[in-house]
Amino acid sequence: MKTVITYGTFDLFHVGHLNLLRRAKELGDYLIVAVSSDEFNLGKNKVCKIKDTDRMKIVEAIKYVDKVIPETSWEQKIEDVKKYNVDVFVMGDDWKGKFDFLKDYCEVVYLPRTEGISTTQLKEELKG
């Protein structure tokens, strides 16, 4: 069995998120998604519109997702890769190169973002 993991905030869940999860699942048999906790996001100066427990429930309901875990720190990625015997680590290509240190533990794949949609864009549109 090939295990894939990805990380994200998944605030204001949209089709770009869905595309990322679908394409991540296509890279293996079992997809683990780590959803950033509210506390971890505050440390990144990000405030979510949807609380972490609800974001985790939303992600968990997606048919491509097999397991959801909380993301609570930057450092947990190596621990997660080891703990869950991950074969492939996936992130959007806006993070390209940032997680290459994981290549010592698993394959690292950066997937292209879905054009024309982002949480930042949605938040801006909702202001107006």
Side-chain angles (χ1 to χ4, degrees):
M1 183 172 73
K2 196 171 189 181
T3 302
V4 180
I5 195 165
T6 191
Y7 292 74
T9 299
F10 302 101
D11 195 24
L12 302 181
F13 195 91
H14 54 73
V15 73
H17 294 135
L18 188 63
N19 289 340
L20 173 74
L21 297 176
R22 177 184 47 78
R23 293 184 323 211
K25 178 64 177 242
E26 289 170 356
L27 296 173
D29 306 299
Y30 190 83
L31 177 61
I32 301 169
V33 180
V35 176
S36 301
S37 70
D38 290 340
E39 186 177 329
F40 180 50
N41 278 329
L42 281 176
K44 299 186 285 183
N45 293 317
K46 286 173 86 172
V47 177
C48 291
K49 300 292 183 192
I50 301 170
K51 66 182 178 175
D52 54 6
T53 53
D54 290 344
R55 289 184 284 112
M56 290 179 77
K57 287 177 189 171
I58 291 166
V59 171
E60 191 174 51
I62 305 300
K63 70 178 183 178
Y64 310 115
V65 177
D66 297 294
K67 182 176 186 67
V68 174
I69 61 173
E71 179 185 23
T72 58
S73 73
W74 290 109
E75 297 76 27
Q76 87 178 64
K77 289 174 179 63
I78 292 174
E79 296 165 25
D80 289 345
V81 167
K82 290 178 178 178
K83 178 179 180 178
Y84 297 107
N85 297 310
V86 170
D87 300 291
V88 185
F89 173 91
V90 175
M91 289 296 283
D93 64 1
D94 52 326
W95 290 96
K96 194 166 186 75
K98 299 270 196 301
F99 299 106
D100 286 355
F101 64 91
L102 290 171
K103 288 180 179 180
D104 291 340
Y105 305 94
C106 63
E107 180 183 356
V108 176
V109 175
Y110 299 100
L111 295 173
R113 292 176 60 98
T114 301
E115 291 199 25
I117 187 75
S118 73
T119 302
T120 303
Q121 174 192 346
L122 285 175
K123 285 180 179 178
E124 284 300 314
E125 290 176 5
L126 290 170
K127 283 182 189 175

